[in-house]
Amino acid sequence: MKLNNLSFDFTAIAFYCFTILYFRIFLADPYLNTDAGTMSPFEHGEVFVLDDGGEVDLDLGNYERFLDVTLTKDNNITTGKIFQSVIEKERRGDYLGKTVQVVPHITDAIKNWIESVAVIPVDGEEGPADVCVIELGGTVGDIESMPFIEALRQLSFSVGQDHFCIIHVSLIPVLGVVGEQKTKPTQHSVRELRALGLTAHLLACRSAQPLLENTKEKVSQFCHVPAANILSIHDVPNIWHIPLLLRNQNAHHAILKQLNLLGHLGIATPPDLEDWTKMAETFDNLTNSVRIAMVGKYVGLTDSYLSVVKALLHACIACSLKPSIDWIAASDLEDESANMTPEAHATAWETLRNAACVLVPGGFGDRGVRGMILAAKYARENNIPYLGICLGMQISVIEFARSVLGMERANSEEFDALTSDRVVIFMPEGSTTHMGSTMRLGSRKTLLQTPDCITAKMYGNPQYVDERHRHRYEVNPDVIVVLEERGLKFVGKDETGRRMEILELPSHPFYVGVQFHPEFKSRPRRPSPLFLGFILAATGKLEAYLRSR
């Protein structure tokens, strides 16, 4: 059956539905930002970039990874997008002089957006989708969510109850002293939702332990939901067990019954989770691990690098390993830290030296840059596998120019606009006045300059790679010749030949920097080639792997 998606992970529920339906996905985020592009990673986690250049919530990344589909920016609705579209219509006079209000104009805009995009499948299948999955983020009762809840209420009325299924995610906390599972939070949220005109058909109850039978009975009685429709989503060894957990509770039967699809033979199929089961169980049984030093700016919130973490996980599992990520705040590696916070400085360097590989991810701003340069230098001089992503690539160029070429003032315009040695420059089409959607964004082709580089061999394509970008600065083409003369090779460029996309150090076991973000296209059963090569190099298996290829 076809399903369309409009982000607990509710993603796991969507994946489970995907095994029996053909669907479409929507993610509704009730914040006023037009998109996630200008949000702080410390506050909201990473910004996920789609093929079409859409900057969206990290939950869209969860959907893409779980379902192995390609979404667009239209799959993400924000309050900012809705208000912007309504105001633009009002300015054009589309409302013919009417007073523009939240109801009906904002709610109609939400419904129209959903209905227009909902029929488009996301997995390459032809024809309209059969089911649209909409995740409404936030908490029931939030002021900012009200227009969305009202729009969904109206939508449920217009499509009919047999075509609308509400799965309400709620928490069942446990009192530590007595160990009792408390149902009051769920009762109150369901009552609040019902007061707003929406009645939950299924409850996905998050808890530390499986729901007790008397807890289910209590929830069923007070929330008016059949016990069979109360799903226990308790803690599991890894997130991949959630679809299996749902399957074992016959969640598909409850969903299909509510949508009146049980009799549609040939549309809905039994859940096919054999490969998924093997993957979840394989990860549980892994014993060996690899230590990865993650040197970044936003290590205080690991969600800031969620896609990088997931890509490392996918690559490690492909190598029968568990990732052991050592988070290092880049600023702790700097010389100033030795005086200000000597213990943190010593710990950071000890952690770096004990790691099997070093990864410097993307970021903006000059905080921690000197620490990242030191990390890149350590990896280069000690033959430690190094992967630099976006800013991490620019860091490796700055470090090489300073250490090898003797350009003491080598820097990026982002960090020092007056430097005489500009090895990283601002892109000519960028904007210095507007932040949102003004970068080089989305999936773009990188042409490989030689089939003998590690990147070409890992991708299995000697001509090009197609990855997603998100950056404002790039390597200065005027310094390429001198950098390559000293051994740093730029093996990937854009179609113009002036933008450097991939660098490698042939004399090093694995020293790779990429201007794009390969983590965005990594999948559980199809890891990113560069991340896979990175982990293989960290475990001394890269050469054997390349020979086997």
Side-chain angles (χ1 to χ4, degrees), residues 32-297:
L32 280 172
N33 305 66
T34 301
D35 54 43
T38 58
M39 291 185 178
S40 167
F42 276 125
E43 181 177 335
H44 205 72
E46 76 171 3
V47 176
F48 190 82
V49 179
L50 303 170
D51 268 2
D52 63 1
E55 296 176 284
V56 296
D57 189 278
L58 59 84
D59 290 327
L60 264 292
N62 286 333
Y63 278 117
E64 281 209 340
R65 276 187 293 271
F66 255 87
L67 307 176
D68 197 7
V69 296
T70 300
L71 302 176
T72 71
K73 56 188 176 185
D74 288 338
N75 292 101
N76 183 217
I77 308 176
T78 68
T79 300
K81 284 182 179 180
I82 295 297
F83 274 64
Q84 186 177 53
S85 67
V86 170
I87 291 172
E88 287 175 352
K89 288 182 179 180
E90 185 272 333
R91 293 289 86 186
R92 291 196 303 265
D94 292 0
Y95 296 117
L96 302 177
K98 292 182 179 179
T99 302
V100 179
Q101 299 174 293
V102 173
V103 181
H105 300 102
I106 295 296
T107 53
D108 282 352
I110 295 171
K111 289 190 297 178
N112 292 339
W113 192 307
I114 293 173
E115 290 172 341
S116 63
V117 180
V119 295
I120 306 172
V122 294
D123 60 355
E125 296 287 341
E126 295 182 357
D130 295 312
V131 176
C132 175
V133 174
I134 306 168
E135 180 193 336
L136 176 56
T139 303
V140 176
D142 285 351
I143 293 176
E144 59 187 7
S145 302
M146 292 303 181
F148 289 89
I149 292 179
E150 173 60 20
L152 292 179
R153 184 197 67 78
Q154 295 177 19
L155 189 63
S156 68
F157 181 76
S158 62
V159 302
Q161 286 300 310
D162 288 345
H163 300 281
F164 206 79
C165 178
I166 298 177
I167 304 175
H168 180 55
V169 181
S170 182
L171 176 67
I172 303 288
V174 176
L175 290 183
V177 178
V178 295
E180 179 186 0
Q181 294 179 336
K182 302 299 291 184
T183 64
K184 282 294 183 183
T186 298
Q187 292 181 44
H188 284 293
S189 65
V190 169
R191 185 181 300 120
E192 180 76 15
L193 190 66
R194 191 182 297 122
L196 296 171
L198 293 174
T199 300
H201 303 110
L202 286 85
L203 292 179
C205 298
R206 278 291 288 119
S207 60
Q209 300 295 329
L211 293 186
L212 301 174
E213 285 304 316
N214 65 329
T215 303
K216 275 192 175 185
E217 292 174 2
K218 191 173 182 180
V219 170
S220 175
Q221 179 181 0
F222 287 99
C223 297
H224 301 278
V225 176
N229 290 10
I230 298 174
L231 309 176
S232 175
I233 317 293
H234 50 268
D235 291 351
V236 289
N238 64 70
I239 189 66
W240 297 335
H241 281 279
I242 297 296
L244 311 179
L245 199 64
L246 294 167
R247 188 263 320 268
N248 295 339
Q249 297 177 71
N250 288 318
H252 59 290
H253 188 275
I255 294 170
L256 294 174
K257 182 179 179 181
Q258 174 57 37
L259 293 175
N260 198 27
L261 292 173
L262 281 177
H264 289 60
L265 298 178
I267 297 179
T269 59
D272 182 9
L273 295 172
E274 183 177 352
D275 289 343
W276 197 266
T277 301
K278 290 179 181 178
M279 183 175 62
E281 293 177 349
T282 297
F283 180 66
D284 289 342
N285 295 324
L286 293 178
T287 55
N288 297 328
S289 63
V290 56
R291 297 191 66 174
I292 306 160
M294 181 88 80
V295 183
K297 302 163 66 74

Side-chain angles (χ1 to χ4, degrees), residues 256-535:
L256 294 174
K257 182 179 179 181
Q258 174 57 37
L259 293 175
N260 198 27
L261 292 173
L262 281 177
H264 289 60
L265 298 178
I267 297 179
T269 59
D272 182 9
L273 295 172
E274 183 177 352
D275 289 343
W276 197 266
T277 301
K278 290 179 181 178
M279 183 175 62
E281 293 177 349
T282 297
F283 180 66
D284 289 342
N285 295 324
L286 293 178
T287 55
N288 297 328
S289 63
V290 56
R291 297 191 66 174
I292 306 160
M294 181 88 80
V295 183
K297 302 163 66 74
Y298 317 116
V299 296
L301 179 66
T302 57
D303 271 2
S304 301
Y305 303 112
L306 182 63
S307 290
V308 175
V309 172
K310 296 298 184 182
L312 288 171
L313 175 63
H314 303 159
C316 285
I317 290 177
C319 298
S320 299
L321 295 166
K322 281 190 174 183
S324 177
I325 300 176
D326 294 323
W327 297 91
I328 301 176
S331 55
D332 287 344
L333 295 171
E334 298 173 358
D335 294 338
E336 290 82 354
S337 177
N339 299 322
M340 302 291 293
T341 53
E343 290 186 5
H345 178 78
T347 300
W349 274 103
E350 182 182 3
T351 302
L352 182 65
R353 294 188 179 102
N354 288 333
C357 52
V358 178
L359 192 153
V360 177
F364 296 93
D366 62 354
R367 183 176 56 82
V369 164
R370 283 172 293 180
M372 296 180 198
I373 292 174
L374 290 171
K377 182 178 182 179
Y378 169 79
R380 181 180 59 81
E381 293 181 341
N382 293 277
N383 287 331
I384 305 298
Y386 175 87
L387 178 59
I389 299 173
C390 196
L391 174 62
M393 172 187 171
Q394 298 168 10
I395 289 294
S396 63
V397 173
I398 296 170
E399 188 280 320
F400 193 88
R402 290 183 182 181
S403 302
V404 180
L405 301 184
M407 300 168 64
E408 295 182 0
R409 294 196 62 190
N411 214 331
S412 167
E413 283 186 338
E414 181 181 8
F415 314 134
D416 184 359
L418 302 179
T419 181
S420 56
D421 297 323
R422 300 181 307 157
V423 296
V424 178
I425 60 175
F426 190 75
M427 293 192 309
E429 72 272 31
S431 172
T432 58
T433 58
H434 288 75
M435 300 293 288
S437 299
T438 58
M439 292 181 276
R440 183 171 166 84
L441 291 165
S443 186
R444 298 172 185 267
K445 189 174 292 186
T446 295
L447 303 181
L448 296 170
Q449 308 301 301
T450 171
D452 294 329
C453 63
I454 289 176
T455 303
K457 294 175 181 177
M458 289 304 304
Y459 277 91
N461 186 343
Q463 296 180 326
Y464 69 90
V465 299
D466 198 343
E467 295 284 5
R468 298 173 183 175
H469 293 68
R470 185 176 186 259
H471 63 99
R472 285 193 179 89
Y473 294 83
E474 60 189 14
V475 179
N476 188 347
D478 295 338
V479 301
I480 300 305
V481 173
V482 65
L483 287 169
E484 291 201 317
E485 285 176 351
R486 299 300 297 271
L488 196 64
K489 301 300 181 183
F490 292 90
V491 300
K493 302 179 182 181
D494 76 338
E495 289 93 337
T496 69
R498 293 197 44 88
R499 284 200 165 101
M500 303 303 113
E501 298 282 359
I502 308 171
L503 68 79
E504 293 185 8
L505 193 60
S507 60
H508 194 284
F510 188 95
Y511 193 89
V512 178
V514 292
Q515 189 60 74
F516 48 77
H517 290 264
E519 68 270 23
F520 290 147
K521 288 191 175 182
S522 183
R523 302 290 182 262
R525 287 169 287 185
R526 187 161 44 84
S528 164
L530 283 177
F531 278 84
L532 180 59
F534 180 57
I535 298 302

